[in-house]
Amino acid sequence: NNLFKRASELLKPGGKMCITDWLKDDLLSKEHTTKYIEPIEEGMLVALPTLAEYQKHIGNHGFRLLYYEDISKNVAKTWDITSDSIKNPALWSLARKHSNEFIAFLKSFKAMRAGFKSGTFRYPAMILEKK
């Protein structure tokens, strides 16, 4: 919400911005939310919006959505790579010395990978134009 407010203040009418963000699917069952989304939100310390929520903010701040593309498949390999990198025992040892939040963060990489594969977690690119 603050992003759109600030961008609206900075851009002139016709000005454009491109953003990417993590979104959860608009129509998730409670089961899918619990299984796929909640572990991501807890580990990454985020509250994932839906596209519908994004569109509300876009409209409320004087923007229109010009372009939307779900690029999840293009970035999904990121979570394969990070899932492999967190297999390092030294990383887990470091996490145990620091905090439960650090441990939850490392665990959330697996959740992000599962979310992408299930389609409940998405990564779109959007182009917005100020009206």
Side-chain angles (χ1 to χ4, degrees), residues 22-29 32-33 35-37 40 48-51 68 70 72-73 76 111-124:
W22 298 337
L23 301 179
K24 62 184 174 185
D25 190 53
D26 282 300
L27 302 172
L28 289 176
S29 68
H32 281 145
T33 299
K35 182 176 181 178
Y36 296 109
I37 301 303
I40 295 169
L48 295 172
T50 63
L51 178 58
Y68 175 94
D70 184 343
S72 299
K73 289 180 183 177
M112 304 258 305
R113 185 180 189 188
F116 269 121
K117 286 187 177 189
S118 71
T120 59
F121 177 57
R122 302 168 191 277
Y123 191 71

Side-chain angles (χ1 to χ4, degrees), residues 3-4 7 11 15-19 63 126-130:
L3 166 73
F4 299 109
L11 290 172
K16 294 174 183 64
M17 72 174 182
C18 179
I19 57 176
F63 288 96
M126 297 170 268
I127 299 175
L128 310 178
E129 179 179 59
K130 184 172 177 185

Side-chain angles (χ1 to χ4, degrees), residues 8 11-15 58-65 128-131:
S8 181
L11 290 172
K12 295 177 183 177
I58 289 167
N60 286 347
H61 290 93
F63 288 96
R64 67 177 173 196
L65 182 63
L128 310 178
E129 179 179 59
K130 184 172 177 185
K131 296 178 188 175

